[in-house]
Amino acid sequence: MKRYIVLLLVSMLWGQSFAQQKSRIDTGWEFLKQDLGGIWEAVRVAAKGSSESVPIWEEVTLPHCFNAQDAVDPDVNYYQGPGWYRTRLKVENPYSRGRILLHFEGAGQKTDVYVHTTKVGSHTGGYDEWTVDITDAVAAFKKTDIFGAQFKGMIPIAIRCDNSRDLEMIPSDLSDFNIYGGIYRYLNLVYVPELSLEKLFVKAEVDKSGKAGHVHVRGRFYDPGQIGKASVTLRLKDSRNKILQTLGVNTGNLSGDQLLAEFKMKSPALWSPDKPVLYTVEAVVHAETDYVHQEKIGFRHFEFLENGPFVLNGKRLLLRGTHRHEDHAGVAAAMSEGQIRQEMLMMKDMGVNFIRLGHYQQSRIVLDLCDSLGILVWEEIPWCRGGLGGDIYKDQARRMLTNMIEQHYNHPSVIIWGLGNENDWPGDFPEFDQDKIRAFMTELNDLSHTLDPSRKTAIRRCDFCRDIVDVYSPSIWAGWYRGVYTDYKKVSEEENRRVKHFLHVEWGGDSHARRHSENPDNALQKIERNQGADERLGDASLYGGASRVSKDGDWSESYICNLIDWHLKEQETMPWLSGTAYWPFKDFSTPVRPENPVPYMNQKGVVERDFTKKESFYVFQSYWTEKPMVHIYGHSWPVRWGEAGEEKMVKVFSNCERAEIFLNGKSYGIKSRNSADFPAAGLRWNLVFESGKNTLEVRAWKGKTIVRDTVHFDYETRSWGKAARLVLSKTASENGISTVEARLYDARGVQCLDSSQLVTFSLSGDGKLIDDRGTSVGSRKVQLYNGRAIIRIEERGGSSVAAVSTPGIETVFINL
């Protein structure tokens, strides 16, 4: 992990060295969550308390999302509509004839930009980057009387974002994720000289043997003043910033993309997940002032063998992947750079070497981190569900594909451009024509290969288009939406034979964090075997249809750990497998799952929406990492249950060679790890717990290194009856935050440890519930996990009364 952090610090310092005339505009903003009668209402000067001062704006910082809370509010549909931002900027361009740009890293979903009352730009699409030149509008405003008299030398900027439902936009509102609104990625004020580079396209290639490297550099100039010619110096630098080669070029034609340089190298250091070596291409444009543009690149050679594995730099690499949505507790899509970095480091710590960015172009910060950490990438456009719209719809898809490829072209981590997801899912339009979808998919496939012949194209789950793209992922949800998890290998083998290049993305299942089971595979007895493992329309529903674990299972962490354990065990025995990607890394919000245990949450992540690790995180670590680790299953399982004297299974997940378990201080022997021995790779013991308190300890060895883990829990031998009463208690208070826990008991006072009833927390008084977080301890409506539920309360220095209720049982209160 230290090596990854060093790489990140180097990357940060490099970014500061050349971006001296680029600054984030993150403070001084006001926000209004509604529409205005017109732009004048955003910029008129009004005295506080006057009628012109309404509606009331709130102070915010950027990035900011409309839906930071309401995306997971259990009682409302999330807001989809317009919202406004406004600020005043001090504009001081250091270039005498330079340009002033607003650079958006992403804003959802339709955006209009104003300087005072002048509209200077618009953009449709919530995920690609775009720039607005405000130079002329700023110059014009500076000539007005109000520039100095009313605005004190500041430039008023107003921005309207709109995420209203629109059938002629992608992604579809039927998608299993929120279509967020707001300036939810960083917004930058950029000064450039009169002539600058708009984009630098760098293709770094190496032959299969790794001996011959080639760098092909093209440039697209920004020349609004029509200078028409440029002098450019190009440098190739190694990972220590040492200059390897320098070339000078003069060009008298600045229209279109210009070939600027070609560098040749012998035996370049190769980029890989283990050693993500990055080079730098630097272009200096000599004009009014030298303008420096830098891009990080990496040399790697990859291929998907027909019906076989993935090969990187001449060696087989099993792609061990996951997925990411730009979504987080308390901020929704408006994740900070620090939060993004923490998330990507956690993925690397779990052992990930591959990620599918679903289902849209993501922040440049994510791609930079994938480059520096060594994580291979499948990135895709948001043509997701719903069918196929008209010309406006298709134009947006073409534009977003073009922008994604051009904006992330230089990243060595990217190996696949995704063209769509679940395009066999109708619903947005009266017509659902497979031939028309095939024709448009073919057009996008051709466009992708024209823009970037070096990468592969792919789609997931549109079987009638599987022959169009280079790499195909069918729907295989063995043990969740269809079938049992032991079907996984057989179904995968069948699907691998149907296409030339098979890559299995999206597998797994939901788990309600903190819910555990003594009999997790019980639901499998209801499932018809040998029915395949395809996710079919409606299988995500909690109602009707064939028996399936997604509907009939207990959604426990215990079950999901078994499912993941089986999949990972099998993947080690599939030499033809290119790789897989678990869906997803982190729980995320979705408008189409209001009745899940945490309402409006897709709970398939291995961490919760606030980065709290679930037990399944450690299952992945035990298969995918080298650093010695050991983890006893059940850290969030405070009470286990069963008969007195009954043997109960204890599972230990570890990548160590052997482990020894201790129960209440007594050793119960050493076992060796064997990944073919399911579950827990043979590191499991059947032990008899004492009634009441118990302590489990494990000691594991990897070479000479010893690692340890400990859990404490109670063992309940009494059986419980019908739920009769709730108890609410304060369990902790720290830094002004109280933690309260609700427990459900039967009439005899025995906790109902298998209860999953929905409970509702409420609060009156000075405090505030910390809810609308989309987590197991951050939702005021939540299903119980083993007869209990937790929520936290911001005390705010006063008195409050908390309550918890569930239908058919008396509501209970507690004074705080």
Side-chain angles (χ1 to χ4, degrees), residues 630 632 650 652 654 656-663 665-673 682-685 687 696-701 706-710:
V630 65
I632 302 171
V650 172
V652 171
S654 178
C656 295
E657 294 134 8
R658 63 192 192 281
E660 182 178 14
I661 199 75
F662 299 83
L663 173 61
K666 179 181 176 181
S667 173
Y668 284 84
I670 296 174
K671 294 196 174 184
S672 297
R673 188 181 190 279
L683 300 180
R684 60 184 184 275
W685 292 259
L687 304 177
L696 282 168
E697 299 174 72
V698 68
R699 183 185 304 158
W701 293 266
I706 302 175
V707 287
R708 297 174 172 84
D709 190 34
T710 303

Side-chain angles (χ1 to χ4, degrees), residues 274-345:
D274 291 334
K275 294 182 179 180
V277 179
L278 295 173
Y279 289 75
T280 300
V281 169
E282 179 180 271
V284 182
V285 180
H286 305 293
E288 171 194 7
T289 303
D290 283 356
Y291 177 78
V292 182
H293 188 114
Q294 291 181 325
E295 294 289 340
K296 293 290 186 181
I297 61 169
F299 294 91
R300 80 283 185 275
H301 183 278
F302 73 90
E303 58 182 322
F304 288 85
L305 301 184
E306 188 168 332
N307 299 118
F310 175 79
V311 175
L312 180 69
N313 300 331
K315 297 180 181 179
R316 188 214 174 181
L317 177 70
L318 179 62
L319 296 175
R320 294 169 165 169
T322 189
H323 294 75
R324 179 183 190 271
H325 267 295
E326 198 111 302
D327 184 58
H328 193 73
V331 297
M335 292 183 68
S336 69
E337 183 171 6
Q339 288 172 328
I340 294 172
R341 183 179 295 110
Q342 180 179 350
E343 183 171 4
M344 301 306 294
L345 284 169

Side-chain angles (χ1 to χ4, degrees), residues 168 388-399 440 443:
E168 284 299 322
L388 179 64
D391 290 341
I392 295 174
Y393 184 103
K394 288 185 279 189
D395 282 345
Q396 185 191 355
R398 296 183 191 103
R399 185 173 63 252
F440 189 60
E443 180 186 340

Side-chain angles (χ1 to χ4, degrees), residues 460-474:
R460 179 198 164 268
R461 213 200 89 172
C462 186
D463 209 50
F464 58 81
C465 289
R466 72 179 187 273
D467 60 312
I468 296 173
V469 292
D470 301 322
V471 178
Y472 182 64
S473 175

Side-chain angles (χ1 to χ4, degrees), residues 428-446:
D428 276 344
F429 309 101
E431 177 187 71
F432 185 79
D433 189 315
Q434 291 189 7
D435 290 335
K436 290 182 179 179
I437 291 174
R438 275 187 59 85
F440 189 60
M441 188 70 75
T442 300
E443 180 186 340
L444 293 182
N445 189 67
D446 292 343

Side-chain angles (χ1 to χ4, degrees), residues 74-131:
D75 299 315
V76 301
N77 294 318
Y78 80 107
Y79 178 75
Q80 290 183 274
W84 284 84
Y85 297 86
R86 67 182 183 186
T87 192
R88 296 181 183 183
L89 298 179
K90 186 72 172 178
V91 175
E92 297 176 318
N93 195 338
Y95 305 112
S96 60
R97 295 187 299 274
R99 310 299 295 183
I100 308 163
L101 312 176
L102 291 179
H103 170 228
F104 291 78
E105 296 183 20
Q109 296 286 315
K110 299 176 183 176
T111 308
D112 299 319
V113 184
Y114 297 83
V115 172
H116 195 238
T117 58
T118 301
K119 188 175 181 178
V120 291
S122 296
H123 182 79
T124 298
Y127 311 104
D128 46 349
E129 299 187 12
W130 50 286
T131 299

Side-chain angles (χ1 to χ4, degrees), residues 350 485 516-517 520-521 556-569 572 614-635 637 640 649-661 671-675 677-685 696-702 707-711:
M350 193 178 81
Y485 54 71
H516 305 276
S517 176
D521 290 338
S556 69
E557 293 196 56
S558 314
Y559 175 77
I560 288 304
C561 282
N562 280 352
L563 181 149
I564 292 170
D565 192 2
W566 181 270
H567 277 70
L568 297 180
K569 171 190 80 75
E572 292 194 348
K614 300 184 189 180
E615 298 288 328
S616 51
F617 180 94
Y618 303 98
V619 184
F620 281 100
Q621 271 197 329
S622 72
Y623 281 91
W624 286 1
T625 64
E626 292 297 326
K627 181 182 177 181
M629 57 77 58
V630 65
H631 181 85
I632 302 171
Y633 177 89
H635 277 245
W637 196 0
R640 294 194 63 170
M649 183 179 291
V650 172
K651 293 187 291 184
V652 171
F653 293 103
S654 178
N655 58 10
C656 295
E657 294 134 8
R658 63 192 192 281
E660 182 178 14
I661 199 75
K671 294 196 174 184
S672 297
R673 188 181 190 279
N674 174 11
S675 62
D677 188 0
F678 175 84
L683 300 180
R684 60 184 184 275
W685 292 259
L696 282 168
E697 299 174 72
V698 68
R699 183 185 304 158
W701 293 266
K702 191 170 188 178
V707 287
R708 297 174 172 84
D709 190 34
T710 303
V711 295

